[in-house]
């Protein structure tokens, strides 16, 4: 996919958008010359350019699509025959055709709630206060203490570590 050239920098293939712009003649003169030089050296990009030219020619020579008269009649009758859904909640259309927001009367208006900082502090009532919170904290603390004791108490059943003789020497094997 890449090819080392000149100073050891890899040369990349042309992007698909660049190939389309090259075939359609939309590149600047400098970019067109660079793309043309690359296409002459690169077989992959030359093939991509050739297939893009074939696709462009096929689209230009194709006939315009046509729709049947019955389809056009059914599409034209949609505004008169189809029941359109009602306007979305909170929106209305004025007499001059503009969308406007409508305030609902069954809900309080935005900003009509309590002033910031006037409510009770978090944790002053509910689950975090009272007997349950104290019991939960006691369970957590006792669990932490039991865990600490389990890790720090010496095990009497543990086997003694093997003793190493004082005159033991390390021998390193080497392969020839």
């Amino acid at each position: 996919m890449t090819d080392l050239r000149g100073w050891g920098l890899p040369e990349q293939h042309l992007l698909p958008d660049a190939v389309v712009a090259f075939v359609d003649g939309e590149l600047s003169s400098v970019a067109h010359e660079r793309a043309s030089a690359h296409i002459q050296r690169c077989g992959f990009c030359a093939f991509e350019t050739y297939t893009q030219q074939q696709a462009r020619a096929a689209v230009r020579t194709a006939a315009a699509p046509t729709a049947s008269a019955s389809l056009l009649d059914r599409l034209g009758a949609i505004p008169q025959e189809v029941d359109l859904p009602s306007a979305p909640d909170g929106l209305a259309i004025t007499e001059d055709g503009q969308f406007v927001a409508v305030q609902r009367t069954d809900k309080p208006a935005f900003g009509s709630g309590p002033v910031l900082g006037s409510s009770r502090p978090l944790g002053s009532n509910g689950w975090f206060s009272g007997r349950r919170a104290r019991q939960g904290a006691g369970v957590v603390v006792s669990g932490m203490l039991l865990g600490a004791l389990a890790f720090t108490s010496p095990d009497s059943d543990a086997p003694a570590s093997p003793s190493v003789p004082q005159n033991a020497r390390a021998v390193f094997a080497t392969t020839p």
Side-chain angles (χ1 to χ4, degrees), residues 92-114:
I93 299 177
T94 61
E95 292 177 2
D96 58 347
Q98 294 182 354
F99 279 107
V100 293
V102 178
Q103 183 177 0
R104 295 176 57 177
T105 57
D106 60 339
K107 290 188 176 183
F110 180 74
S112 63

Side-chain angles (χ1 to χ4, degrees), residues 47-108:
F47 178 73
E48 290 293 318
T49 304
Y50 174 73
T51 56
Q52 181 62 34
Q53 288 170 341
Q54 286 182 328
R56 181 175 188 248
V59 168
R60 288 189 176 254
T61 59
T66 58
S68 66
S70 65
L71 174 63
L72 292 175
D73 289 340
R74 284 186 281 158
L75 290 174
I78 287 176
Q80 289 81 23
E81 296 177 0
V82 176
D83 293 331
L84 297 176
S86 63
D89 290 341
L91 289 180
I93 299 177
T94 61
E95 292 177 2
D96 58 347
Q98 294 182 354
F99 279 107
V100 293
V102 178
Q103 183 177 0
R104 295 176 57 177
T105 57
D106 60 339
K107 290 188 176 183

